[in-house]
Amino acid sequence: MPDSPLVAVVDSYGLSKVLVDEFRKRGTSVVRVQSTPEVPAAYRGPFDLSDYVANIVHQGDLTATVAAVAAHSPTAVVAGGEIGVELADALSEALGLPTNGTALSAARRDKYVMIETIRQAGVTGARQRLVRTEQDVREWHRSVGGRIVVKPLRSAAGDGIAFCDSPDESAAAVARIVGSENVFSMPNTAAVAQEYLRGTEYMVNTVSRDGRHRVCEIWRTTRITANGVADLSDTVYLMPRHGAAQEQLTAYAGQVLDALGIRHGPAHVEIKLTNSGPVLVEAGARIGGANLPHYAQIARGQSQLDWTVEAYLRPEHFLAHHRDDDPLQLHCAFVGLVSPYAGTLRAYRGLDALRDLESFHEMRVAVTPGGRIRRTVDDLSYPAVVVLMHESEETVLRDANTIRYLDGPSFYDVEPVTTHDTAGDRR
């Protein structure tokens, strides 16, 4: 390895920049690779390229992009986010670097292929159907019965997910998805319909090296029914490293990683712990979203960010220590505010009360007074997020419940949108 290593990060946008910062803290130079000529709508806006040695925009010619990246002699190629996974696989494979390869790239991005792949490997997966028309999903929903989930094949952050209790609802969901664009500004040509899994959902963030897996953090989610969404994620809690549930989740996540061919780098695995055991919701071959690894790093002294750097820059150290406990044991919660309104935000009523909570650590406000606020229907539409952190788990749980008590219709002063402007604010 050269004295001053360099890594290429594919599609570093928004909060994924935290991974770039972690590499740079270790004295590593970074080349940014952009997998699409146009920046996806969700990421458009000014962003600083000064921390990168170069910014290479992939124009569709893999040979040209491989040559451009190879000119910098990278130690590794890492996906900065979900949209960059397949190009990162192709570049790392072509350059002879630690790679998950391209053979199962589609299974690491396409949610239908993903579940079919793990099931073929003998890992428990949900019943599902690839659907392109309203009639397709109506027929399958009638055969399954009960509630089902309909989602885009290649999106993220809860975009487009619908929980449907009738074939009519499922048909309407497919009609909304197919032909529209996903969060990455790519067309949805089909959707996947899956059985609804009952159980607590967990997010397991991992890092792998040579097929050896480190579970870096496990987050437990809680759900509410709001704004027409039956299963809206509202809070995630950082769990202790050890426990009965954690052991089940760790073992199952390892099976999923193996089935999807994830041998190197970070992964984000969403799992429902049902009465019959763990079942995959979906997985991504990239760091966890919402900046959760950053907060886990503060609470536990290390996180998926540190372990990703170790896996690529110090693989021997990773393999020797990947089962070690974390140095700190603080408790943490990430609480999203749930707006019941769409319109122009005049003011929040009560932000000071949230800042006065005993375990308050940080507040991220996405919508400020004067801005457009949406009804919260997915992970992309929280108007603000409160991060709680404390040595006492009870204090964090209490404060999270207090936020949910304070957050409600009276918390928001909103000038409603007119009727003809509301279409984009409804699920």
Side-chain angles (χ1 to χ4, degrees), residues 28 41 65 95 125 155 257 292 295 307 325 346 403 409 420:
T28 304
T65 304
L95 292 167
S155 198
L257 297 176
L292 293 180
Y295 297 113
W307 287 103
D325 283 337
R346 296 190 187 102
I403 293 172
H420 67 274

Side-chain angles (χ1 to χ4, degrees), residues 33-37 56-66 87 91:
V33 182
Q34 187 171 303
S35 69
T36 56
I56 298 168
V57 179
H58 178 56
Q59 301 289 344
D61 184 339
L62 180 62
T63 300
T65 304
V66 168
L87 183 57
L91 292 173

Side-chain angles (χ1 to χ4, degrees), residues 125-311:
R127 292 176 294 169
Q128 63 172 4
R129 174 71 62 87
L130 181 69
V131 294
R132 291 186 172 85
T133 68
E134 296 175 44
Q135 186 59 30
D136 287 344
V137 77
R138 283 182 189 275
E139 292 175 358
W140 191 75
H141 196 158
R142 290 190 188 102
S143 71
V144 174
R147 176 177 294 165
I148 71 167
V149 183
V150 180
K151 61 177 78 170
L153 295 179
R154 288 172 169 262
S155 198
D159 169 54
I161 293 178
F163 300 91
C164 306
D165 291 319
S166 71
D168 285 345
E169 291 181 5
S170 298
V174 170
R176 285 194 300 271
I177 293 170
V178 177
S180 67
E181 287 190 344
N182 65 22
V183 71
F184 302 122
S185 299
M186 295 179 175
N188 292 314
T189 58
V192 59
Q194 297 175 337
E195 67 174 308
Y196 176 73
L197 302 170
R198 293 195 179 273
T200 301
E201 184 168 323
Y202 297 86
M203 298 185 293
V204 182
N205 288 336
T206 67
V207 176
S208 305
R209 177 73 197 204
D210 298 325
R212 303 282 291 276
H213 310 306
R214 160 81 182 190
V215 171
C216 305
E217 60 256 8
I218 299 176
W219 297 84
R220 175 176 62 88
T221 75
T222 61
R223 307 263 162 173
I224 61 174
T225 296
N227 296 333
V229 182
D231 223 24
L232 180 65
S233 175
D234 69 319
T235 304
V236 293
Y237 297 91
L238 182 59
M239 297 184 68
R241 180 165 175 78
H242 300 290
Q246 292 91 315
E247 298 307 314
Q248 274 190 286
L249 294 163
T250 295
Y252 180 81
Q255 294 174 6
V256 169
L257 297 176
D258 291 342
L260 295 177
I262 298 176
R263 294 179 48 79
H264 297 279
H268 172 78
V269 189
E270 298 176 5
I271 302 169
K272 281 280 188 82
L273 197 52
T274 71
N275 288 337
S276 58
V279 183
L280 180 66
V281 175
E282 58 190 59
R286 40 77 178 177
I287 63 169
N291 224 18
L292 293 180
H294 165 71
Y295 297 113
Q297 187 181 55
I298 296 170
R300 299 292 163 81
Q302 59 188 13
S303 76
Q304 190 181 37
L305 299 173
D306 305 85
W307 287 103
T308 297
V309 173
E310 291 296 306

Side-chain angles (χ1 to χ4, degrees), residues 82 84-93 99-111 113-114 117 154 259-262 283-285:
E82 187 71 19
V85 167
E86 287 165 303
L87 183 57
D89 289 342
L91 292 173
S92 57
E93 183 177 72
T99 184
N100 294 324
T102 56
L104 291 176
S105 278
R108 296 189 282 269
R109 283 287 288 117
D110 184 301
K111 299 181 194 308
V113 177
M114 180 182 296
T117 299
R154 288 172 169 262
L260 295 177
I262 298 176

